[in-house]
Amino acid sequence: MQVNIPLKIIGLGRYLPKRIVPSSELEAMCGLSAGWVERHNGVRERRWVTDETSSFMSAEAAREALCEAKLRPDQLDLIINASGTGEQAIPDTGVLIQRQLGLGKSGIPAMTIHTTCLSFIMAMDVASNFISSGRYRNILIASADVASCGINPKEPESASLVGDAAAAVVVTRSGNGDKSMIHNAHFKSYGDGAYLTTIMGGGSRFHPRFEGHKAEDDLFHMDGPAVLRMVRGIAHDFLEEFYPGLSEGMVDIDVVVPHQASKVGLMMLKRFGWPENKIIKTIETLGNCVAASIPVTLYQGVRDGHIQRGDKILLVGTGAGLSIGGMVLTF
């Protein structure tokens, strides 16, 4: 849907855990042959936390973003945690980020938007409406995921894919004459795919105190082939609803920043006629970082010079649910 909301990303930040985990370590853990992970998932290495928490990583990324935006933390009007994995059940991770930033007495509202791998795009959409209405001026959006704690070595396809990372942006209303804006945003969810990507534990249905609770309830499960089949069935129509012509070419898009779902998922983008040199990828060195994947990849594209001010960018991906979403913005 075309919205054309004046919104500008004025600060970008990223935090990567110091521990680098080569795919050979995953191959040993999962009993795989040498080179299996890179051949199947396209991941050479990824980052895993040692003692870092989700809120710590978000705050570190936020500090870099605030520095670039030339803002103090106390000049924020809203903090949005846009992550696929929460630090704990209660309180909300947004409050923990606020505390990590030294704002625990500030009263600045903090909240979470959780749509798994699409959390960052959805948070950008929500933030744009808050800013457009005049409710808030400066909004921090932070995405941090610690996926390594939930991997299941019995499912090597997903266990060898995920990494840990954080990224943050500060957004505000574009000034007069500034071309930065959100042009289009579109999301769809299909509950028939709800159990294709799951962590069954962590909520009230499979609580640890309940009889029959199993350790595997708390681990990540994904039926990758079924997810890909479902995405193939809906992607073309989604893209045409979202941005006509996008299912057959780039239209007027300069750069694509996709969720780093998997090697096969990224290869599927070729069927839409999107040139490979216009697609930013980080999967080889970072893996799939859940909700943090898109902003981490956006950060990389900007810092490498592949994304410039005035470029029209497509943020796009899928997530558990099964959900699919995208946003077109001028950076």
Side-chain angles (χ1 to χ4, degrees):
M1 178 182 294
Q2 189 165 3
V3 290
N4 289 331
I5 295 176
L7 177 136
K8 185 174 186 177
I9 296 173
I10 58 172
L12 274 162
R14 183 178 73 173
Y15 178 84
L16 300 179
K18 296 178 180 62
R19 183 187 173 197
I20 299 174
V21 181
S23 287
S24 58
E25 187 171 327
L26 273 298
E27 287 158 356
M29 178 190 298
C30 299
L32 303 170
S33 60
W36 187 96
V37 172
E38 192 163 359
R39 288 196 305 273
H40 282 76
N41 281 335
V43 185
R44 188 179 73 246
E45 63 186 37
R46 76 285 292 139
R47 303 296 183 103
W48 281 3
V49 300
T50 48
D51 56 356
E52 300 102 326
T53 63
S54 172
S55 62
F56 169 82
M57 294 199 300
S58 284
E60 290 296 292
R63 289 187 179 97
E64 182 182 354
L66 285 161
C67 181
E68 185 174 58
K70 295 181 173 59
L71 292 176
R72 301 187 311 273
D74 62 3
Q75 290 177 293
L76 292 170
D77 302 304
L78 175 67
I79 296 168
I80 300 178
N81 168 54
S83 305
T85 56
E87 185 166 319
Q88 57 193 67
I90 295 175
D92 177 71
T93 304
V95 175
L96 302 179
I97 296 170
Q98 184 210 61
R99 181 185 173 97
Q100 288 276 4
L101 286 170
L103 299 170
K105 297 179 180 179
S106 68
I108 296 170
M111 60 184 284
T112 286
I113 291 175
H114 175 26
T115 50
T116 60
C117 301
L118 295 175
S119 298
F120 177 78
I121 304 180
M122 184 65 80
M124 286 282 288
D125 195 29
V126 171
S128 71
N129 284 279
F130 276 139
I131 287 171
S132 179
S133 70
R135 179 83 178 268
Y136 300 115
R137 182 180 179 185
N138 299 314
I139 298 178
L140 171 70
I141 301 171
S143 297
D145 281 292
V146 179
S148 58
C149 64
I151 63 170
N152 186 347
K154 296 178 182 178
E155 298 188 8
E157 286 279 359
S158 59
S160 61
L161 180 60
V162 298
D164 303 336
V169 298
V170 177
V171 296
T172 193
R173 187 180 182 90
S174 303
N176 292 333
D178 197 327
K179 295 181 179 179
S180 296
M181 70 172 60
I182 292 177
H183 301 284
N184 297 65
H186 193 45
F187 301 89
K188 300 195 87 167
S189 295
Y190 300 87
D192 281 352
Y195 290 101
L196 298 179
T197 308
T198 63
I199 296 176
M200 299 299 292
S204 59
R205 185 180 177 194
F206 291 94
H207 196 276
R209 69 182 296 183
F210 292 165
E211 185 178 351
H213 177 270
K214 304 184 296 294
E216 286 194 1
D217 291 338
D218 302 321
L219 302 180
F220 180 72
H221 164 74
M222 180 172 66
D223 185 340
V227 169
L228 283 169
R229 286 194 299 271
M230 195 166 183
V231 172
R232 286 193 186 103
I234 63 176
H236 181 278
D237 289 347
F238 169 82
L239 289 172
E240 285 306 306
E241 287 178 17
F242 167 42
Y243 206 78
L246 201 54
S247 68
E248 298 178 355
M250 293 272 287
V251 197
D252 59 348
I253 304 296
D254 296 305
V255 182
V256 179
V257 180
H259 171 48
Q260 309 292 297
S262 66
K263 177 182 177 180
V264 176
L266 289 169
M267 288 173 59
M268 194 176 76
L269 302 182
K270 295 179 182 178
R271 69 189 300 200
F272 307 126
W274 301 350
E276 193 164 2
N277 65 347
K278 298 292 186 180
I279 300 171
I280 309 294
K281 298 176 183 176
T282 54
I283 193 169
E284 184 179 355
T285 56
L286 297 179
N288 178 339
C289 300
V290 199
S293 272
I294 288 177
V296 161
T297 304
L298 174 66
Y299 177 98
Q300 192 70 50
V302 173
R303 295 294 186 254
D304 286 347
H306 297 304
I307 297 173
Q308 304 284 339
R309 280 292 175 197
D311 284 348
K312 187 172 277 190
I313 305 168
L314 168 64
L315 310 179
V316 67
T318 58
L322 183 138
S323 297
I324 184 168
M327 174 175 286
V328 174
L329 60 91
T330 293
F331 181 68

